[in-house]
Amino acid sequence: MRMLRFTRRGAVMAAAALALAACGSSSDGGESASDSQGSASDQVVLQDVIFGDPDAPVTLIEYASWTCPACLDFHSRIMPAIQADYIDTGKVRVVFREFPTAPANVTVAGFMLARCAPDESYYEVLDELFVRQDAILTLARQGGPVVEALKQIASNHGIEGDEAFQACLDSEENRDAIRASIAAAEAKDVSATPTLYLNGELLENNARVSPVVFAAALDEALGETASE
């Protein structure tokens, strides 16, 4: 688990280097993973991304990565089925926490862009990242223009031009936010994505359930909340 922590936190610092190298910059590529491990603060504060009513009686916390195929399955198969009845109605709030999977530097760069998107449109960027998951992972495996693909996504959501794109990847605030999400996951010994907690309780086998079974779990949590 220590090596996992090292890799993920190093990737947070390497996200900006990904763009600089791909854009042909002659400047320093940024801190190495070993440098970032020593400088990363243990006092970073969670800056949760919340989807739905912040005061909803039931809280679903999701540790996920947009480059994770199981997370894509959850977001394309489960989330649409529960959104109308549970999230849009104010019954359930979803707290999304980043937990990057390989290629971690690409994943972190995508998360940084989502946090930079204007008008609190994190989830719109996340949705597009999931839609383009296979194409971007193919580019990464083949050494293709990953940065150009990410720039297109950024542009689609109001992050226009190379300067704004690079400023986003250089954002210390966003790095801290993602480090905090990783730290929160590690504190709960999260080792796979997606990992879900429903009102503080770990949901077992959450990525493989049907929408009906998942809705039943939400109903049970709502019933428990109502009886308290």
Side-chain angles (χ1 to χ4, degrees):
M1 193 63 184
R2 182 174 300 276
M3 182 57 68
L4 182 66
R5 179 181 300 115
F6 177 85
T7 301
R8 292 182 197 276
R9 292 192 179 182
V12 174
M13 303 305 296
L18 167 76
L20 287 169
C23 293
S25 171
S26 61
S27 61
D28 188 344
E31 295 180 56
S32 68
S34 58
D35 291 335
S36 68
Q37 186 187 39
S39 62
S41 171
D42 292 329
Q43 305 300 319
V44 288
V45 177
L46 275 171
Q47 301 172 47
D48 280 333
V49 178
I50 298 175
F51 184 38
D53 185 349
D55 297 320
V58 169
T59 299
L60 177 68
I61 298 178
E62 177 186 8
Y63 294 96
S65 173
W66 68 268
T67 49
C68 156
C71 299
L72 171 60
D73 177 71
F74 180 79
H75 272 262
S76 60
R77 188 170 55 87
I78 303 294
M79 288 297 288
I82 68 170
Q83 180 170 343
D85 291 336
Y86 295 93
I87 300 172
D88 292 347
T89 57
K91 296 177 181 177
V92 176
R93 69 170 185 159
V94 178
V95 177
F96 185 88
R97 291 179 181 167
E98 302 102 335
F99 196 58
T101 54
N105 58 341
V106 174
T107 307
V108 170
F111 282 144
M112 297 273 277
L113 294 176
R115 285 191 173 269
C116 286
D119 302 323
E120 298 182 350
S121 54
Y122 184 106
Y123 272 90
E124 284 79 2
V125 179
L126 184 65
D127 284 344
E128 184 168 355
L129 289 168
F130 273 124
V131 167
R132 298 195 183 203
Q133 180 191 103
D134 184 63
I136 291 177
L137 289 179
T138 298
L139 288 176
R141 285 192 295 268
Q142 297 176 350
V146 173
V147 172
E148 293 307 314
L150 291 176
K151 283 183 178 179
Q152 181 60 62
I153 293 173
S155 179
N156 290 344
H157 298 277
I159 305 170
E160 299 282 355
D162 291 351
E163 185 175 343
F165 180 83
Q166 191 61 55
C168 175
L169 296 190
D170 288 338
S171 169
E172 193 64 35
E173 179 181 358
N174 288 339
R175 292 182 192 179
D176 284 347
I178 295 171
R179 278 202 296 261
S181 289
I182 294 169
E186 291 172 346
K188 289 185 173 293
D189 293 324
V190 172
S191 60
T193 53
T195 293
L196 303 181
Y197 284 85
L198 187 58
N199 279 355
E201 297 294 326
L202 177 66
L203 287 178
E204 300 289 352
N205 300 321
N206 53 73
R208 294 186 290 276
V209 301
S210 70
V212 172
V213 171
F214 199 84
L218 296 179
D219 287 336
E220 182 178 354
L222 286 163
E224 292 172 354
T225 301
S227 64
E228 291 177 354

